[in-house]
Structure formats: C-alpha cells, structure tokens
Amino acid sequence: MIDREAHFKALMLRGLDGDAAAWRVLLTDLGAHLRAWFGRQLFDGGADAEDLVQETLIAIHAKRATWDPARPFTGWAWAIARHKLIDHLRSRRRRPTRPIEEAESLWADHTVEDGATLADLGRCLSALPVRQRRLIEDVRLTGLSVAEAAERHGYSVTAAKVSLHRSLKTLNARFAGTDTAPGRVDHEDG
C-alpha cells in the first residue's frame, strides 16, 4: 500500500520545481481520489461530481503557491475540496443528509490540520459533554482503538461503543437541522 501523503507531497514538490510530468501525474492521481469522494458526497453524482473535480483541480493549480511544504499536502487539498463541495451545495440550497457515522474522509490516512477545519470541529464537538467529546476525539481524531479510549476514560468497551454511537447520532441530529434527537445532550458532565 502506498503512503498517499508521501506520494502526493513528492509530486507536488516536483511540480512546484517545474516538473510538468510530475504535475500531470499529481492532477491525474488526485482527480481519481476527488472523483470517488465527490461521487460519495453527492446524491445525484454524475456531472456535478465531475464539475467539482475540475473546479478543485483548477483551485489547487491556482493556489499552489499558498501550500506550505512543511504541512501535509492532503490536508491542504482536502480543505480546498471541502470548500468547493460546500459552495456547490449552498449554490443549490441543498444540505448533505448522510449520517455522520457514514462520513468518510478523502483519504483514509488524512489528519485534520487545517485551522478553520479544527475550529469548526471544535464548535461541533462542544455540543457534547466533556467525557463524550474526549472519547470521540480519541477514537475518531487521535486514532486510538475503542478499547484504548474506553480504558483511558473509564468506560467498558461496550459502554464506549454505545457512547460513541449516541454522541455521533446526537451530533448528526443537531447539525442536520433537527433539534429533537434521541438522547439529545444539553448538559455537561465531567
């Protein structure tokens, strides 16, 4: 299995140094990932997904000088793709309605490093009690196993799974536009 971050970052660096062949490979490989990701995000897929791929690749090309080589390339590219999707959905006055439990990132090994994304994520998670929030952060963001996070926070593995499920369901209900979620959490617990 290839290390996508290393693969894309190496191509980007070579492309920035003027290697046209590396730039073509980067856009081709990146386009394949974007096509699959946009196809999963859009319910009608098709032409809209292809348009979004092209818009994202153009934006990446146009903004290539803004990428900081000291930062992960996939996080930077994913942020651009995410913003293109949001703009697309806003322009059509549609909202994604997939449950948060089914959310997938653009790359399996992607880490959240974009400042705006981290701020948005922090605001979303602040809707949960501290203990549940920390459990989600450890499992979904830090990459701990459910068993490791359960032990860290004093849950049984089963209780941790139930808490994760309920927390994600609560977040999904809150941010999908409904205010009445089963097990809705409006209080803090330690």
Side-chain angles (χ1 to χ4, degrees), residues 1-189:
M1 181 173 171
I2 66 167
D3 177 357
R4 288 185 186 101
E5 174 61 31
H7 172 72
F8 286 129
K9 191 171 191 173
L11 290 170
M12 180 68 165
L13 289 169
R14 288 176 34 210
L16 290 173
D17 285 339
D19 184 339
W23 191 250
R24 266 190 308 281
V25 172
L26 172 68
L27 294 179
T28 300
D29 290 359
L30 194 54
H33 282 282
L34 290 168
R35 201 165 283 106
W37 185 71
F38 283 127
R40 288 189 306 266
Q41 302 308 308
L42 299 172
F43 305 106
D44 50 6
D48 285 346
E50 190 58 36
D51 289 347
L52 283 167
V53 169
Q54 296 307 314
E55 287 177 30
T56 303
L57 291 176
I58 290 168
I60 286 170
H61 179 76
K63 297 174 191 266
R64 66 189 180 276
T66 67
W67 174 63
D68 177 0
R71 308 276 302 184
F73 173 77
T74 54
W76 178 80
W78 183 81
I80 292 171
R82 180 178 165 266
H83 290 292
K84 290 295 178 185
L85 177 63
I86 290 168
D87 290 345
H88 171 79
L89 294 172
R90 281 184 185 148
S91 73
R92 285 160 176 72
R93 298 185 189 265
R94 290 189 290 198
R95 298 171 62 153
T97 58
R98 291 200 174 156
I100 197 166
E101 293 95 332
E102 294 177 13
E104 294 178 359
S105 65
L106 183 52
W107 294 282
D109 56 355
H110 169 72
T111 57
V112 178
E113 300 220 0
D114 175 43
T117 302
L118 284 172
D120 289 347
L121 186 57
R123 280 191 294 278
C124 290
L125 292 177
S126 70
L128 296 172
V130 173
R131 196 165 176 226
Q132 291 174 341
R133 180 173 55 240
R134 289 186 181 141
L135 185 64
I136 287 178
E137 289 169 348
D138 282 350
V139 172
R140 296 295 177 124
L141 302 177
T142 307
L144 293 180
S145 70
V146 174
E148 291 168 329
E151 183 177 333
R152 175 186 264 187
H153 297 287
Y155 285 99
S156 70
V157 173
T158 302
K161 288 179 182 179
V162 169
S163 179
L164 282 167
H165 175 77
R166 287 181 180 165
S167 298
L168 292 172
K169 193 170 184 176
T170 298
L171 289 172
N172 185 50
R174 178 155 304 168
F175 295 103
T178 60
D179 289 332
T180 54
R184 180 171 174 202
V185 178
D186 284 329
H187 62 280
E188 289 282 322
D189 69 354

